[in-house]
Amino acid sequence: VQLQASGGGLVQAGGSLRLSCAASEVTFDNYCRGWFRQAPGKEREFVAVIGWTDSSTYYSNFAEGRFTISRDSVNNTVFLQMNGLRPEDTAVYYCVGGATTVEVQEYRGPWGRGTLVTVSS
């Protein structure tokens, strides 16, 4: 399912940002959540996913070690902490939900409102 992302902005290379993904409907309380991104002129790609029952996490290679996905179960919000940002991380970031982490990783749309992250060199 498509969810609303927020928290993007302009940051210098090496800086950090934290993106948020809140589910406005209680229906999505138990959904796994994940992040995708789409850079200008490129295909949309998977970034990270977190399970809702066991908090298992999976990352793409480029995110491993720099990005951390976490959740706030009380407020039904998922975060993507991004450190050591690079110009190639510039993209619109989207949040999605699914019944399983695999379903999230294989998500193909529809897409909600993303949040733009711009990393300057």
Side-chain angles (χ1 to χ4, degrees), residues 4 8-9 12-14 17 32 44 46 63 65 70 101 105-106 120:
Q4 302 306 313
Q12 288 188 331
L17 276 176
C32 299
R44 189 175 279 116
F46 167 76
S70 62
T101 55
Q105 292 177 75
E106 296 178 349
S120 63

Side-chain angles (χ1 to χ4, degrees), residues 12-63:
Q12 288 188 331
S16 300
L17 276 176
R18 189 177 79 158
L19 307 183
S20 299
C21 172
S24 59
E25 299 182 33
V26 68
T27 306
F28 307 132
D29 275 358
N30 297 322
Y31 271 50
C32 299
R33 308 276 188 85
W35 292 92
F36 282 74
R37 72 182 188 182
Q38 186 168 23
K42 295 188 177 181
E43 296 287 321
R44 189 175 279 116
E45 59 184 349
F46 167 76
V47 178
V49 62
I50 185 167
W52 206 252
T53 56
D54 60 1
S55 294
S56 56
T57 58
Y58 302 95
Y59 297 90
S60 62
N61 289 338
F62 65 79

Side-chain angles (χ1 to χ4, degrees), residues 5 9 18 21 36-37 49 52 79-80 83 85 90 108 121:
R18 189 177 79 158
C21 172
F36 282 74
R37 72 182 188 182
V49 62
W52 206 252
F79 303 99
L80 183 69
N83 299 326
L85 284 165
T90 294
R108 291 296 177 265
S121 57

